[in-house]
Amino acid sequence: MNGALDHDIGSISHRSNRFRKIHRQTTSNVRKLLDIPLTHHIFFLSSALEAMERILQNTVMEYCTHFVNGAFSEKWYEFAKQLGKKPMKIPAPYGHGFSFKNAIIPVNTELICITQNETSTGVMIPMNDIYPVKRKNPRTLVALDIVSSAPYPKIDFKKIDMAFFSVQKGFGMPAGMCILIVNDHAIEKSLALSIKTPISTYHNFPTLLKMAEKNQTPETPNVLYIHILGKMCHDMLKKGIVKIRKETDKKAKLLYDFAENSEYFKPFVRDEKFRSPTTIDLELINKTSEEAVNKLKAKGLIVGKGYGTFKNSHIRIANFPAHSTENMKFLINELKCIHR
Ligand SMILES: *Cc1c(COP(=O)(O)O)cnc(C)c1O
C-alpha cells in the first residue's frame, strides 16, 4: 500500500497506458489464482451487493430461482423482487445446506442464484453439489456468491456462468471493490435482454465487456485498489493456492475439533459436510456473545457476534488466508479459558 502511494498511483488517469497496464496485471493475476478460463470475463464493481443487482438486471427478464439459507442469500432474493422480477425461493433453515438433488427448479427459470458460502450462518455448499444443478439445467444461467469463501473454493468455471467476491473478506483489503466474473453465455443473454428491457447503465455487461477488452473501466475506478488486489493475488500465487487451501482446512479443523469437544461452544452447522472452513459460526452455551467478544477483544482478537436473531447466542470467526495457524491456536487457547 505504501509502495503504491509512493508511485502516486492514486492520481494516474484511468485512460492512461499506465492504468491499462495495472488493469491487465491484476486481471491476469486474478485469472491465474482462481483458474478462470478465457470464456469468462473479469469486471470491477463497487460491492458484492452491486454484483447481485447487476446480475439480476442483466440476465433476468422475469424468472430466477434463489437458494436461501441466510441473510445474504435472502438479500439477493429481495433484490430480485425490488427490481420487479418474479423470483422463486428454495429455502433451507439457517445453519443448513440444501438437497440439490430434490430441488425442483421451474423450466422457465433464467437464472439460479446460489450463495456458495452463507456468511451469516457459516454454511458452505460443496462445489460438487453445485455442478449437477447446471448439468440438469444447461440453458439456465448459474451465479455464485463467493464473497466470503474466495479464493478457497476450487471452482471449475466451465461448469458455472457467473461468480463474484468483494475484496474485504478473503483478500484482506479495505472494503469498496468487487470482482465479477461473467461468461459469454451471460453476456449473450444481456445483449438479447437489452432489446426488451433496461439492463442498467454504465455497469451493464456489454459496456463492462467493451471496456474490459481495452483494459479499462466505464467509470473512474479505484485505481489504487485494483493495483493492490493485483499485489495480493501475486503474493497468494507465490505462496501457492494449494497451500492456502490446505492451511485453511487445517485451521478450520483445529477450531471445529475444539468446539466439538468444548462444553461452552458448539458448531452451529451440525452437518459436517456443510461446515464452512472460512467463516465459522459457533453457538455459545451458558454465555453471551457480548461476554465472549469482549474477552477476546481484550486479547487483541476480533471475532463477530452472531447474525440477526443469533446476535447474542453465537460468535462468528473468520478463517481467511491472512490468519496464520499460530493466530488460530492462540484464539483457541483464549476460547478455552473464556469461562474464567
Ligand atoms: C459480505 C458479504 C456480502 C456483501 O459484500 P459487500 O461488498 O458489502 O457488498 C455479500 N455476500 C456475502 C456472502 C458476504 O459475506
Side-chain angles (χ1 to χ4, degrees):
M1 194 112 161
N2 280 337
L5 290 173
D6 287 346
H7 293 103
D8 53 79
I9 279 194
S11 64
I12 70 170
S13 160
H14 68 295
R15 299 287 175 242
S16 66
N17 279 333
R18 245 181 99 198
F19 173 70
R20 277 206 283 271
K21 203 172 146 199
I22 292 170
H23 184 285
R24 192 179 306 119
Q25 192 64 56
T26 296
T27 48
S28 153
N29 286 356
V30 170
R31 203 177 273 291
K32 262 190 237 152
L33 183 69
L34 301 182
D35 198 14
I36 302 169
L38 291 170
T39 43
H40 290 59
H41 311 282
I42 297 171
F43 303 146
F44 295 93
L45 306 181
S46 63
S47 71
L49 297 188
E50 188 196 354
M52 292 178 186
E53 180 176 287
R54 298 299 176 227
I55 288 171
L56 292 165
Q57 288 172 317
N58 279 270
T59 63
V60 180
M61 184 69 205
E62 284 187 291
Y63 301 104
C64 45
T65 297
H66 295 251
F67 287 88
V68 176
N69 63 340
F72 289 104
S73 39
E74 183 75 41
K75 205 178 266 292
W76 205 354
Y77 166 76
E78 286 300 325
F79 283 5
K81 282 204 280 187
Q82 287 176 32
L83 288 168
K85 315 290 180 194
K86 296 172 180 146
M88 190 187 90
K89 187 200 278 197
I90 298 180
Y94 281 26
H96 290 250
F98 299 92
S99 164
F100 288 96
K101 262 205 298 267
N102 302 325
I104 296 166
I105 295 168
V107 284
N108 59 7
T109 295
E110 299 158 80
L111 170 73
I112 298 167
C113 298
I114 301 173
T115 304
Q116 194 262 337
N117 192 66
E118 181 47 85
T119 321
S120 65
T121 55
V123 174
M124 187 181 284
I125 312 290
M127 286 308 302
N128 283 332
D129 278 16
I130 294 174
Y131 301 138
V133 177
K134 177 72 191 178
R135 215 183 306 132
K136 274 197 267 174
N137 304 273
R139 291 165 52 86
T140 308
L141 295 168
V142 171
L144 302 184
D145 176 337
I146 54 168
V147 174
S148 55
S149 52
Y152 172 80
K154 185 169 163 39
I155 298 174
D156 183 349
F157 280 90
K158 294 273 183 202
K159 297 178 179 167
I160 57 125
D161 301 283
M162 289 168 275
F164 60 89
F165 62 90
S166 37
V167 297
Q168 74 271 23
K169 310 265 169 86
F171 288 80
M173 286 174 53
M177 193 168 77
C178 175
I179 304 304
L180 172 62
I181 301 151
V182 171
N183 72 357
D184 289 328
H185 190 173
I187 303 273
E188 282 158 26
K189 177 71 194 269
S190 69
L191 281 167
L193 211 59
S194 69
I195 299 161
K196 297 185 255 176
T197 186
I199 56 167
S200 81
T201 58
Y202 68 107
H203 271 180
N204 64 46
F205 288 1
T207 303
L208 283 162
L209 178 61
K210 196 178 97 202
M211 298 309 284
E213 281 176 336
K214 294 190 277 188
N215 287 111
Q216 290 191 340
T217 56
E219 80 286 33
T220 317
N222 191 327
V223 180
L224 180 61
Y225 273 26
I226 295 177
H227 171 77
I228 294 170
L229 178 64
K231 295 280 174 218
M232 300 304 279
C233 292
H234 172 82
D235 290 351
M236 288 186 187
L237 280 163
K238 222 161 85 183
K239 179 163 185 174
I241 188 68
V242 174
K243 192 166 172 199
I244 290 172
R245 287 178 180 139
K246 269 200 193 127
E247 276 183 14
T248 305
D249 285 333
K250 189 175 144 202
K251 288 180 287 162
K253 184 169 173 355
L254 287 174
L255 185 52
Y256 279 122
D257 282 353
F258 156 75
E260 284 276 15
N261 296 307
S262 166
E263 13 171 351
Y264 300 98
F265 300 95
K266 191 157 85 178
F268 176 50
V269 180
R270 302 288 191 262
D271 186 345
E272 280 183 42
K273 174 183 163 179
F274 291 111
R275 279 181 192 165
S276 170
T278 59
T279 57
I280 296 161
D281 190 319
L282 300 182
E283 239 178 298
L284 292 151
I285 302 158
N286 296 326
K287 271 244 167 311
T288 65
S289 60
E290 174 102 2
E291 279 175 274
V293 167
N294 286 340
K295 279 199 165 166
L296 293 168
K297 204 186 209 163
K299 300 282 179 178
L301 294 162
I302 306 299
V303 307
K305 290 182 179 174
Y307 205 95
T309 46
F310 308 118
K311 187 164 182 245
N312 295 320
S313 54
H314 292 197
I315 55 170
R316 287 178 305 146
I317 298 165
N319 177 26
F320 295 147
H323 303 116
S324 67
T325 306
E326 283 62 44
N327 294 155
M328 186 57 87
K329 284 182 178 162
F330 181 61
L331 171 73
I332 291 169
N333 248 328
E334 291 307 322
L335 291 172
K336 273 181 192 157
C337 2
I338 208 124
H339 53 284
R340 288 202 205 116

